Every structure is written in C-alpha cells, then in structure tokens.
Amino acid sequence: SPFTLAAYSVEGKANKNCFHTKAMMYNEPAIMHTLLDHIAVNIADYASHQIECGAQVLQVFESWAHHLGPDDFDIFAKPYADKAIALIKAKHPDVPIIYFANGGSAYLERQKDMNADMICVDWKVDMAKARKIIGSKGISGNVDPLVLLGPEAGIRESVRN
C-alpha cells in the first residue's frame, strides 16, 4: 500500500518508530501527499500488469498501518490506498480486491467505505464485532498467523471459531 512503501522509502529500511516518515507527515505534509499520490498511481499500474499476467485477486496490504492513529490513517493511508484500488478497478472491475491494514482493527469503522471488495482483519478483533462494524462488505482474516505453529486440529479449530 502507498503508506507502507512511502515509509520504507523515507526510512530507508524497516523502522519500528517511523521517525523520519512522521516528521515528514507533520512538518512537510505537501511533500508526503505528493509522494503518496505518486506511489498510489504506480501501485495501480503494477497491479494492473499483475492482473494482465493472470492474477485473479489482489490484496492491498498496508503492513505499516499500525504506525498510524485513526486520524493519520484517514489523512495519509486511506485516501491513497483507495486511489490505487479505484484506479485498478477502473481497468479491471471484475477482479476482487482485498484491503488489509495491519493493526487497523482499532479503526475498522474508517475502512468500511473503502473501494475494496473485502476488508481483511487481524486476530486482535472479534469477528462478530468486525462484522457488525464492516456491515455487508466481505470480511476475512481474524486468525493469529502463529496458530500455524500448532497441530492441524488447533489450526482447524481457530479457523472455525
């Protein structure tokens, strides 16, 4: 997703605090918005190429969303993920697109109107609560990925629950 790629670009590597990215967001927002817009357009172009090469479904994965509070998500992540998704949908309306904001379960209500066909949630939110917030839009996820370290019976139980 645009915010994640922008953060990697600004930080130059993975960074648990995103100091440089947040400094840019708060002190030079126009530069950050220009970068995010540029990345959104390029994500859409690349995703369209993936579809033209056979991809049947896409996930827009905002792996660094956990660095953002709800208001910053609305300003710096959501509009640009939505732009990328809208551009992809304009070229490939029948290809399902899933949106996942890592750590974004704290602000699911801000994701329910996104252009994605489905919202993926992390394991930190109850699925019934997530369903109530998201409404009729498709929803997936909600299983701790580390459950895969356990036995098959435990994996199956976690998925069913």
Side-chain angles (χ1 to χ4, degrees):
S1 258
F3 177 77
T4 296
L5 292 178
Y8 274 118
S9 298
V10 171
E11 299 297 327
K13 61 182 178 180
N15 183 309
K16 68 178 184 173
N17 296 305
C18 289
F19 289 124
H20 300 293
T21 304
K22 290 206 171 188
M24 183 183 288
M25 287 166 47
Y26 302 136
N27 296 305
E28 299 289 345
I31 293 172
M32 187 65 167
H33 287 295
T34 299
L35 175 60
L36 289 163
D37 190 70
H38 176 76
I39 292 171
V41 170
N42 282 279
I43 285 172
D45 287 346
Y46 184 66
S48 292
H49 175 71
Q50 289 179 316
I51 292 166
E52 290 153 13
C53 289
Q56 297 173 337
V57 65
L58 295 175
Q59 182 167 2
V60 176
F61 195 105
E62 194 73 84
S63 57
W64 283 25
H66 64 284
H67 289 289
L68 299 172
D71 292 339
D72 285 342
F73 173 79
D74 279 349
I75 297 167
F76 295 104
K78 180 180 178 179
Y80 300 101
D82 250 358
K83 180 174 185 168
I85 294 166
L87 290 169
I88 298 163
K89 284 291 197 182
K91 287 184 180 180
H92 306 282
D94 297 328
V95 174
I97 299 178
I98 303 163
Y99 179 74
F100 176 65
N102 183 33
S105 293
Y107 40 84
L108 277 176
E109 71 282 352
R110 296 174 187 233
Q111 298 172 51
K112 67 182 179 182
D113 65 343
M114 292 186 72
N115 291 320
D117 300 294
M118 179 179 283
I119 301 297
C120 184
V121 298
D122 60 32
W123 66 95
K124 297 173 186 164
V125 64
D126 177 74
M127 188 58 98
K129 180 180 178 184
R131 166 54 63 212
K132 187 174 182 179
I133 294 168
I134 295 296
S136 62
K137 184 177 288 225
I139 191 168
S140 66
N142 185 250
V143 176
D144 182 344
L146 295 183
V147 76
L148 295 174
L149 298 174
E152 182 178 339
I155 296 168
R156 292 184 179 282
E157 182 179 345
S158 292
V159 171
R160 276 191 299 276
N161 291 338

